[in-house]
Amino acid sequence: MEHLLLPLAALPFPDIDPVIVQVGPLAVHWYGLGYVVGILFAWWYGRRLLANSNLWRGGQAPLKPDDLDDFIIWAAAGIVLGGRIGYILFYDLARYIETPLAILAVWEGGMSFHGGFLGTTIAMILFARSRGASVWSLFDVVAAGVPVGLGLVRLANFINSELWGRATNVAWAFVFPNGGPEPRHPSQLYEAALEGLLLLIVLRILTHGFRKLKNPGFVAGAFVAGYGLSRIVVEFYREPDAQLGYLFGGWMTMGMVLSVPMVLVGIWAMSRARRAAA
């Protein structure tokens, strides 16, 4: 079977510099740009949702669009701090204990979605309480626009030739510059399609087609469950982190372990929102 995995059968990896522009020691990376654009889109999109009274129960949004101007700082802190701390704790704790200064090298990558999710959730709870607003509705507003950032960051992962997939003989496989000679699944693109594009469409249908913003927590629950399911599916094609490898049974990965609770919590949140609306 090894002859089926010859690099000659793979697509050529695109020659895209991970650095967009560099001036002296300062460099702008696609990875960082993905986070910035994702945060700004979620802010802009959230303002539009809050400004559309037809989407909310009684025609009254739980927050003013201007409130998101203040929250964007909270969100950015939650994403960056939570994402970095989550990666350190979940994926590579031994390395950072050995070289603590590497914790600050965020530009080298090493962010955990699950950690960023927890960090942003804490930020949303604290912010909503400070404004006397519905926590569940803030969850919904933020969740509706998050898939764009997820998709962009996954595209940046592809450009960076990181988080690539398992060896395969599919026609659309790539030989990644730092992934060895085997053609591999472009699992970053799978994630961009599922966690980014598909999830954005599903949430848009829920907010504007089924008016689910009138049931606080339903859209957020759909996002959490949708992300968890998407991540679990892609983990079957994604190469596990080298320092962790496969976990239970020789097939389960850390990404799966962290995503299963998300699916359960998301289903619970949707069920709760439906019961509250009954």
Side-chain angles (χ1 to χ4, degrees):
M1 294 292 292
E2 292 183 358
H3 70 281
L4 296 177
L5 299 179
L6 289 175
L8 294 177
L11 296 173
F13 189 79
D15 184 18
I16 304 176
D17 193 333
V19 178
I20 303 173
V21 62
Q22 182 164 0
V23 179
L26 301 177
V28 178
H29 296 251
W30 289 107
Y31 187 77
L33 183 63
Y35 272 98
V36 172
V37 173
I39 292 171
L40 291 178
F41 176 85
W43 164 74
W44 170 82
Y45 191 62
R47 284 181 59 93
R48 290 182 62 87
L49 293 177
L50 291 171
N52 189 343
S53 60
N54 294 326
L55 300 178
W56 301 95
R57 183 183 299 173
Q60 182 66 44
L63 291 164
K64 297 178 181 179
D66 290 346
D67 287 327
L68 289 190
D69 296 351
D70 298 328
F71 175 67
I72 193 172
I73 303 300
W74 295 57
I79 292 170
V80 175
L81 293 177
R84 190 60 169 169
I85 294 172
Y87 180 81
I88 292 168
L89 295 179
F90 299 148
Y91 291 96
D92 211 357
L93 180 59
R95 175 199 169 197
Y96 291 103
I97 290 178
E98 184 178 345
T99 56
L101 288 179
I103 294 174
L104 303 177
V106 180
W107 57 88
E108 294 180 355
M111 296 285 284
S112 163
F113 169 82
H114 299 91
F117 171 77
L118 290 174
T120 307
T121 299
I122 293 172
M124 286 188 285
I125 292 173
L126 295 176
F127 182 82
R129 287 182 176 178
S130 72
R131 298 301 170 96
S134 166
V135 173
W136 286 106
S137 289
L138 181 58
F139 285 171
D140 290 340
V141 170
V142 173
V146 168
V148 169
L150 293 179
L152 291 175
V153 170
R154 293 310 181 194
L155 292 177
N157 290 147
F158 178 77
I159 292 173
N160 289 348
S161 182
E162 60 188 3
L163 306 182
W164 18 259
R166 306 181 190 184
T168 181
N169 61 348
V170 297
W172 55 88
F174 288 87
V175 175
F176 290 89
N178 56 351
E182 303 90 354
R184 295 182 177 277
H185 281 287
S187 56
Q188 314 96 322
L189 302 184
Y190 301 168
E191 291 190 76
L194 292 177
E195 303 166 8
L197 181 59
L198 180 60
L199 192 52
L200 178 68
I201 293 172
V202 169
L203 296 182
R204 176 74 179 189
I205 292 173
L206 291 177
T207 57
H208 289 70
F210 292 96
R211 308 286 176 165
K212 285 298 183 179
L213 289 174
K214 296 182 179 182
N215 305 136
F218 193 94
V219 173
F223 165 76
V224 173
Y227 175 86
L229 287 172
S230 299
R231 181 65 180 269
I232 290 171
V233 169
V234 174
E235 286 290 317
F236 283 102
Y237 302 94
R238 176 173 162 175
E239 185 78 11
D241 294 80
Q243 69 275 14
L244 293 177
Y246 294 104
L247 305 180
F248 316 107
W251 60 271
M252 184 172 287
T253 67
M254 179 60 78
M256 292 178 182
V257 171
L258 297 174
S259 295
V260 169
M262 293 187 68
V263 175
L264 298 178
V265 169
I267 293 173
W268 169 80
M270 288 188 286
S271 299
R272 174 203 161 278
R274 293 185 64 179
R275 290 195 304 269

